[in-house]
Amino acid sequence: MRLGGYVEPRNSVHLTAQAPGRVVYVAGAEGDRVAAGQLVVALDDGMLQAQYRGAWASLSAEMANSQNAQTQLYQKLYGPRTSPLGGPLYDAYDRASVPLYNMAQSFMGGLFGNSFPMQTQQQGQHDWSALNNARAEYEGRMAALAGAQSQIDALDAQFRDRRAVAPFTAAIINRHVRVGD
């Protein structure tokens, strides 16, 4: 008894390029088997490699800039202040007299009206515009850092698009490209 017919694959995958480029790798010839996860076709990524290194350099620079901006912000918030009147001797007098004044005022129970505690010069020396500028610089650097990271993510996606990987174990049925195409 003779039966006629033909065999069709249960599953098939047609690989198409997601980006233009020169073919630098093809897994095998027609009839060869490929395993799941095996690289089947790769396109040249020389230009992307250069962009990738540049993106990592930008990310590194932005990391350093954001660290510097954070240090400057912390310095503006918590750093030592300089005494505009009299230098270190006046600072010592200021630090000694203000707590005594505040303590005497609290014992008298607000005898002199609704007054606020006295501040030392260092406590009253916040330069709010400089502090706001340092905060804005820090936030700008953090945004630039996120932008540099997104460049790397975009290049990673382009690298993935330049490689075709077998989704399951299969055989190459038709091969339409060769290395160098």
Side-chain angles (χ1 to χ4, degrees):
M1 173 155 97
R2 285 184 129 183
L3 295 175
Y6 58 94
V7 177
E8 286 188 18
R10 192 176 334 153
N11 296 320
S12 65
V13 175
H14 298 280
L15 301 175
T16 58
Q18 299 295 318
R22 186 173 53 84
V23 176
V24 294
Y25 177 78
V26 177
E30 292 176 358
D32 289 351
R33 296 190 62 79
V34 291
Q38 180 180 344
L39 181 63
V40 179
V41 176
L43 300 177
D44 182 31
D45 60 5
M47 288 296 285
L48 283 179
Q49 291 287 346
Q51 292 175 358
Y52 199 66
R53 285 190 298 275
W56 273 104
S58 294
L59 179 66
S60 178
E62 287 303 331
M63 289 173 74
N65 288 338
S66 66
Q67 184 66 38
N68 183 42
Q70 182 182 32
T71 301
Q72 296 301 319
L73 176 61
Y74 286 167
Q75 178 68 24
K76 295 282 187 214
L77 281 172
Y78 308 114
R81 309 271 189 284
T82 58
S83 175
L85 302 172
L89 289 177
Y90 189 82
D91 264 350
Y93 169 76
D94 201 23
R95 283 194 308 269
S97 64
V98 169
L100 293 174
Y101 174 84
N102 289 338
M103 185 173 59
Q105 189 178 21
S106 68
F107 284 141
M108 292 185 190
L111 184 63
F112 302 109
N114 200 5
S115 60
F116 296 101
M118 182 186 273
Q119 292 182 332
T120 64
Q121 282 187 0
Q122 286 184 348
Q123 291 168 337
Q125 253 184 1
H126 281 288
D127 182 1
W128 297 110
S129 63
L131 182 62
N132 190 45
N133 287 340
R135 182 194 51 79
E137 176 69 19
Y138 173 68
E139 289 176 1
R141 290 300 179 180
M142 292 306 290
L145 183 64
Q149 181 61 52
S150 70
Q151 284 181 338
I152 290 175
D153 294 342
L155 286 169
D156 283 338
Q158 289 180 17
F159 275 122
R160 282 191 303 273
D161 288 346
R162 299 185 80 71
R163 288 174 168 59
V165 176
F168 47 82
T169 301
I172 299 174
I173 296 174
N174 291 324
R175 188 175 124 177
H176 300 285
V177 296
R178 300 199 189 304
V179 173
D181 287 351

